[in-house]
Amino acid sequence: MTVRISHTPKVQELFREAAGLNNQQGSARLKQLILRMITDAARIIEDMDVSEDEFWLAVEHLNRVGKHAEFGLLLPGLSLEHFIDLLQDAKDQQVGLTGGTPRTIEGPLYVANAPMSDGYTRMDDGSEDDVAIPLFIEGRVLDTHGQPLPGAIVDLWHANTQGTYSYFDPSQTPFNLRRRIVTDASGYYRARSIIPSGYGLDPDGPAQQCLSAIGRHGQRPAHIHAFISAAGHRHLTSQINLAGDQYLWDDFAYATREGLVGEATVIGDAAASRAHGLDGRRFAQLKFDFVLQPAVTAEAEQRSQRPRVGA
Ligand code: MBD
Ligand code: FE
């Protein structure tokens, strides 16, 4: 039997009091958000007959997610970071802001202020030279008319062959596989790196524990994250997801999108390898251009104010 009381004046007044609406201090916006969260939580509890045991189990689980700092993983896993992209796309559509490389989620593993180079850089520290396939990435930053954008900043970050990211994996050197490259006079950025492996949630962590309880995996395809910025143009947060990965279209974070798939073509030719400064071993090439929309406001040139390590 479902009993509903959250709509009654007595309970509504209780929630308004709990959200701070009966005092003059604090943030009016936060009060509205908290009132809505309390009200919606109460509705879930009564509509779905959430038991006391279920309620406290959820509290215990959320505590574990926080203790392991995994909210930034669980929320994309529950599709909400992608939902924010879908919502922004729909808002853009409504005001005619279309074209360019699609946005996709940042994820929780960025570190600000990576080393910056003009035109070209090597991203990997060489520590996986014996196991990794070297990857030469190149492309241009363009505007929506196809004109190259010199002086754009291409801020790239990706995982190593174990699928882990420097800083969050303290066994890696600082800023390994994290670099900023300023595009040259023709709008080109180039980097030597390594082919990353896909990312998987910690199998023993609370985010994977939740996904397992609903029959889901926590794997992402191999991918390279990018922030692209250029004066007068709209900041772009996106990713190159690598073709051929078994998780390309089965991404636990729903980040792969049409237009964001890149092919790391493996080249076995020894002469070509030596021409790239390698000792004849195979390597891979990835070409990917980023197309930026014009910025309609100064604010549009900036990335979100999301709290980030290293910032
Ligand atoms: C990642 O590497 C990632 O890109 C996202 C979105 C979530 C978790 C790990
Ligand atoms: Fe990632």
Side-chain angles (χ1 to χ4, degrees), residues 106-109 157-159 165 199 220 223 225 239:
E106 173 180 333
L109 304 175
W157 70 103
H158 68 80
Y165 288 77
Y199 172 93
R220 294 218 53 218
H223 61 280
H225 295 268
Q239 300 180 15

Side-chain angles (χ1 to χ4, degrees), residues 19-168:
L21 284 148
N22 293 339
N23 75 60
Q24 301 308 310
Q25 284 78 250
S27 157
R29 170 70 174 165
L30 187 57
K31 290 178 187 190
Q32 288 303 325
L33 287 168
I34 287 181
L35 176 60
R36 178 63 184 262
M37 286 192 278
I38 296 169
T39 304
D40 284 5
R43 287 204 52 186
I44 293 168
I45 291 165
E46 62 186 7
D47 287 356
M48 302 198 67
D49 274 321
V50 174
S51 71
E52 225 179 298
D53 287 354
E54 288 173 323
F55 181 85
W56 292 112
L57 186 67
V59 170
E60 181 59 23
H61 187 261
L62 292 175
N63 273 338
R64 242 170 71 76
V65 174
K67 184 175 169 187
H68 291 250
E70 286 197 350
F71 274 110
L73 296 168
L74 181 56
L75 292 169
L78 298 179
S79 81
L80 284 172
E81 194 171 355
H82 179 55
F83 171 76
I84 291 170
D85 282 342
L86 293 176
L87 188 61
Q88 191 59 53
D89 289 351
K91 291 177 181 174
D92 286 357
Q93 191 84 38
Q94 204 150 66
V95 295
L97 286 180
T98 56
T101 303
R103 63 167 57 80
T104 198
I105 65 174
E106 173 180 333
L109 304 175
Y110 179 73
V111 177
N113 294 308
M116 181 131 67
S117 306
D118 285 324
Y120 168 84
T121 190
R122 182 169 175 178
M123 297 180 67
D124 68 297
D125 63 5
S127 61
E128 293 187 293
D129 271 352
D130 50 345
V131 291
I133 300 175
L135 173 67
F136 292 89
I137 312 168
E138 72 164 39
R140 286 170 303 169
V141 179
L142 305 165
D143 69 16
T144 49
H145 303 293
Q147 293 303 306
L149 295 172
I153 298 176
V154 176
D155 192 343
L156 302 176
W157 70 103
H158 68 80
N160 65 4
T161 68
Q162 302 302 303
T164 65
Y165 288 77
S166 63
Y167 181 91
F168 301 95

